[in-house]
Amino acid sequence: TVIATPTVAASNSINFKSIKIYPKPTHGLIWIELKLLSTKSLDILLLNEMGVVLNKRKQKMILGEIDLNLDLSLLPSGLYFLKLITENGNVWIEKVVKH
């Protein structure tokens, strides 16, 4: 388990209690565990190195928490970016490497 630090964040930082994105690197599934303050929903985007959105989902928070996975097993090996956007427009971007 890796506790992530932001690769890039907007000027308005996300008010979070904790964020875990693992395993890094991955061979397929990545798990996202978030505990955020004052957020009801979150857009989760997976982008390739060129910034093209490969997967997008809107996720509702349950008591400020999310525990979900993304399946990268059908994607080629390489560098990807996981972009999390709150309904307030706060952004968190994390690098994910797939082997």
Side-chain angles (χ1 to χ4, degrees):
T1 301
V2 175
I3 297 176
T5 55
T7 303
V8 178
S11 57
N12 298 327
S13 61
I14 295 175
N15 242 346
F16 67 92
K17 290 181 185 177
S18 68
I19 181 168
K20 295 179 187 176
I21 300 170
Y22 60 92
K24 290 175 28 185
T26 184
H27 292 283
L29 286 179
I30 57 170
W31 289 91
I32 303 166
E33 295 177 11
L34 296 168
K35 293 181 184 176
L36 302 176
L37 303 172
S38 69
T39 298
K40 295 176 187 159
S41 67
L42 192 69
D43 288 327
I44 302 169
L45 292 83
L46 181 68
L47 300 95
N48 66 12
E49 288 181 278
M50 303 300 290
V52 175
V53 176
L54 304 173
N55 188 338
K56 180 179 180 180
R57 74 165 78 164
K58 184 171 230 35
Q59 187 71 38
K60 292 194 182 241
M61 306 290 288
I62 299 173
L63 299 173
E65 297 186 13
I66 290 178
D67 186 6
L68 59 93
N69 65 50
L70 289 177
D71 187 359
L72 309 182
S73 62
L74 298 177
L75 297 173
S77 297
L79 177 64
Y80 296 91
F81 295 93
L82 187 63
K83 185 174 184 179
L84 310 174
I85 307 169
T86 68
E87 75 271 4
N88 299 335
N90 294 322
V91 177
W92 178 287
I93 299 174
E94 184 70 28
K95 287 191 278 189
V96 176
V97 176
K98 181 183 181 268
H99 287 289

